[in-house]
Amino acid sequence: MQAVILGVDAGTSAMKGVVYDRHGAELFSTTQSYRLTMPQPGWAELDMDEVWRALLQVLRAVAVATAGQTHIAALALAAQAGSVVPVDAAGAPLAPMITWLDRRAEPIVADWQADGAAARIRAISGWHPYPGLPIATIAWLVRHAPQVAHLTHRYLGAHEFLVQRLTGRCVTDLSEGAEMLLLDHATGAWSAELCALAGMRTDQLAELAPAGTVVGSLLPAVAAMTGLPPDLRVVVGGHDQCCAALGMGVTAPGE
């Protein structure tokens, strides 16, 4: 039976699944859309339970299309980065995911630019703070939704949220972690200083692992819901834009 690879792209408006053979030829693809909501001017949110249901639908379609023909060797996620959802100890969302398109944290970023904190964020993370990115979004939640922040066990991006639902482990890669602006680019570890600036702790973030690391197998309940084999390996993926660049061969400065 032919061994294949399943790639999943968790984007801002749709979930896409593509099955490739081991030479990179596309064998099957499917897409399931979901709604980006804007409950107030400048806000942009996703219901992560809806996103999870879209992933299950994509996986079911893959299972049907490949049944009896191929063996799926591994599943890896490429996901939007820069969005964040607060979850409780069971991994359930406490609020919608605030996406990278959101502008509600503009006053916080303006304050950081005025008091010099923005320069410090840039020095540690390698990124300039931007209103839609997690360091500012989390700071907004701490200030304006303290009842949510108080209950938050972890702040997760789309990649680690979905990997945890698939495997029970909360893991992300450095390209996803970097866009939270909470990562020390010199050490490759979460920065206690930047987390404190946002009003949270490093242990409220996902485990970091290099892209390509095997996280584990599908949870039995997920295998049963999708029809995929329970021994299917789930692999750490990365930021969708970085994955796209890699796929196009853009791997060195100047390309």
Side-chain angles (χ1 to χ4, degrees):
M1 189 175 289
Q2 182 183 16
V4 298
I5 304 295
L6 170 57
V8 176
D9 176 18
T12 307
S13 60
M15 190 74 61
K16 302 173 253 333
V18 187
V19 178
Y20 297 96
D21 70 16
R22 299 184 72 167
H23 303 288
E26 181 180 321
L27 303 178
F28 174 76
S29 65
T30 184
T31 301
Q32 181 65 42
S33 62
Y34 35 79
R35 298 167 297 160
L36 181 71
T37 60
M38 298 180 179
Q40 295 190 38
W43 292 26
E45 299 179 342
L46 285 171
D47 178 338
M48 290 308 290
D49 287 324
E50 183 179 355
V51 174
W52 170 242
R53 290 192 294 271
L55 175 57
L56 292 177
Q57 289 175 320
V58 164
L59 297 182
R60 288 189 198 104
V62 168
V64 170
T66 59
Q69 304 173 47
T70 61
H71 168 68
I72 302 175
L75 179 164
L77 278 164
Q80 58 163 302
S83 304
V84 66
V85 58
V87 302
D88 64 17
L94 295 167
M97 171 169 274
I98 300 174
T99 75
W100 58 275
L101 293 165
D102 199 278
R103 306 289 301 184
R104 73 187 72 184
E106 281 183 339
I108 291 173
V109 174
D111 289 344
W112 287 343
Q113 290 168 340
D115 66 15
R120 186 62 182 158
I121 294 169
R122 166 69 169 169
I124 298 173
S125 74
W127 291 67
H128 294 289
Y130 184 80
L133 298 183
I135 188 171
T137 299
I138 294 167
W140 186 93
L141 286 167
V142 170
R143 295 185 193 184
H144 300 286
Q147 70 284 3
V148 172
H150 177 71
L151 295 172
T152 297
H153 179 66
R154 282 195 172 107
Y155 293 98
L156 301 181
H159 178 281
E160 52 267 37
F161 177 90
L162 295 171
V163 166
Q164 184 173 33
R165 288 263 174 122
L166 290 170
T167 68
R169 285 188 62 196
C170 185
V171 186
T172 196
D173 94 308
L174 295 173
S175 67
E176 288 279 349
E179 200 164 336
M180 297 192 82
L181 278 65
L182 297 167
L183 189 76
D184 185 329
H185 75 89
T187 66
W190 298 119
S191 165
E193 180 179 341
L194 294 182
C195 287
L197 181 62
M200 42 85 69
R201 308 180 310 275
T202 58
D203 64 1
Q204 290 180 286
L205 296 167
E207 174 188 348
L208 290 164
T213 301
V214 176
V215 179
S217 300
L218 290 181
L219 291 170
V222 176
M225 285 189 290
T226 61
L228 291 172
D231 62 348
L232 172 60
R233 290 176 294 177
V234 177
V235 177
V236 175
H239 178 192
D240 54 6
Q241 297 298 328
C242 297
C243 292
L246 180 63
M248 292 186 291
V250 180
T251 58
E255 292 180 337

